[in-house]
Amino acid sequence: MNLQKKLNQAGLRHTHARQVVMSILEEATIPLSPQSIYQRSLEKNEDIGLVSVYRTLELLDEFSLIRRVHGREDCHGYVLASPGHHHHLVCRECEKAVEFTGGDDLSGLLNRIQQETGFEVEGHLLQLFGLCPECQKGKENHA
Amino acid sequence: MNLQKKLNQAGLRHTHARQVVMSILEEATIPLSPQSIYQRSLEKNEDIGLVSVYRTLELLDEFSLIRRVHGREDCHGYVLASPGHHHHLVCRECEKAVEFTGGDDLSGLLNRIQQETGFEVEGHLLQLFGLCPECQKGKENHA
DNA sequence: TCCTTATTGAAAAATATTATCAATAAGGAA
DNA sequence: TTCCTTATTGATAATATTTTTCAATAAGGA
């Protein structure tokens, strides 16, 4: 389901500011902070306010249309999210973020931890860091 | 190895401010933000500046004596880190953070993702969220 | 005890986020 | 299409957070 439908369904309006933020996220390959989304909107000569960026991100987050991705250093940015449960793999060089599915690979771990700690595990945050294929090639060239 | 030794070894000084920050983290059961560490130092009538809190956290992080823990909403706080590779399990109710070891449970997943994406995976961020044993009891009482 | 200098803390500057509110425009109704 | 209602916007101000600057201090070896 796309943004417009979701908005209508929730009785919300499909506005210019929201469309711009969504487009910028759709075009991006790396996680974007509110500030950098705002910067890109200026570069595109789209006249939206920084405040609308924050508000739209909050909205998109509620609709699970975007997801927060943490960097090694900086705290987080947002990327478009496919429907369903996904995690992200981030390139340390070009920052590109790609999705992957956790599958059942975590269930063993989760069960073990529940046993060991007595916690009732409800959710998890998993992110991988590494070098994407392109940046691996880049490295070779310099070697 | 404790803080003092690490500092000496690196030619750094064991100062009051650094000791205070370290003590506060040692006493804490939940992840603390720079601001909240500063607040606790005030409550303890320890006269250290907020800036030193930031600087000390940076230092402790370099020494791997602390680790960043992300909340569901708020971005992150710091907890004391045991030596070695660990992850954290955070209670959604009392915010308590406990460590656990990933073991080999992730290696299958990591290999699969490397295959599928072509990324060279170098590191990962894994955190679990849930209810700790104490807060599970609390819930029962209200039922 | 003295000296060197890493470290501190106060204040200012820079950055990021949230609240306020009159003006605007989205989108259904006529 | 045009009108109306009101959700939404964006400018501004208010907060909060983080970093920089720099003279004064204190850690710790000589």
Side-chain angles (χ1 to χ4, degrees), chain A residues 41-138:
Chain A
S41 77
L42 292 180
E43 288 161 17
K44 294 176 78 170
N45 280 82
E46 296 290 355
D47 203 12
I48 69 173
L50 176 60
V51 189
S52 290
V53 175
Y54 277 97
R55 284 186 291 222
T56 301
L57 287 173
E58 197 176 349
L59 187 73
L60 295 176
D61 193 42
E62 280 169 24
F63 286 163
S64 299
L65 288 172
I66 57 174
R67 207 136 296 168
R68 270 169 52 179
V69 172
H70 297 273
R72 271 263 179 255
E73 303 299 321
D74 36 70
C75 197
H76 67 263
Y78 294 88
V79 293
L80 222 60
S82 313
H85 188 63
H86 289 281
H87 300 110
H88 286 90
L89 173 51
V90 185
C91 179
R92 72 142 197 273
E93 200 61 32
C94 69
E95 295 180 76
K96 181 166 54 196
V98 308
E99 284 185 332
F100 66 90
T101 57
D104 292 328
D105 294 317
L106 279 176
S107 54
L109 174 66
L110 298 186
N111 286 331
R112 179 168 65 80
I113 302 304
Q114 294 207 118
Q115 296 278 319
E116 286 179 13
T117 63
F119 267 65
E120 191 178 301
V121 178
E122 299 170 335
H124 56 270
L125 164 63
L126 173 63
Q127 258 184 243
L128 304 185
F129 300 96
L131 262 191
C132 73
E134 289 72 30
C135 291
Q136 287 172 43
K137 285 181 201 151

Side-chain angles (χ1 to χ4, degrees), chain B residues 24-88:
Chain B
I24 289 173
L25 285 168
E26 279 167 353
E27 291 161 9
T29 59
I30 70 173
L32 298 177
S33 67
Q35 300 284 346
S36 62
I37 291 174
Y38 179 62
Q39 283 309 318
R40 291 190 181 204
S41 76
L42 292 180
E43 288 161 16
K44 295 177 77 169
N45 280 84
E46 297 289 356
D47 203 12
I48 67 173
L50 176 59
V51 189
S52 290
V53 175
Y54 278 97
R55 284 186 291 220
T56 301
L57 287 173
E58 196 176 351
L59 187 72
L60 295 175
D61 193 42
E62 281 170 22
F63 285 165
S64 299
L65 288 171
I66 58 174
R67 208 137 295 169
R68 272 168 54 178
V69 172
H70 298 272
R72 270 265 180 252
E73 303 299 321
D74 36 69
C75 199
H76 65 262
Y78 294 88
V79 293
L80 221 60
S82 312
H85 188 63
H86 289 281
H87 300 109
H88 286 89

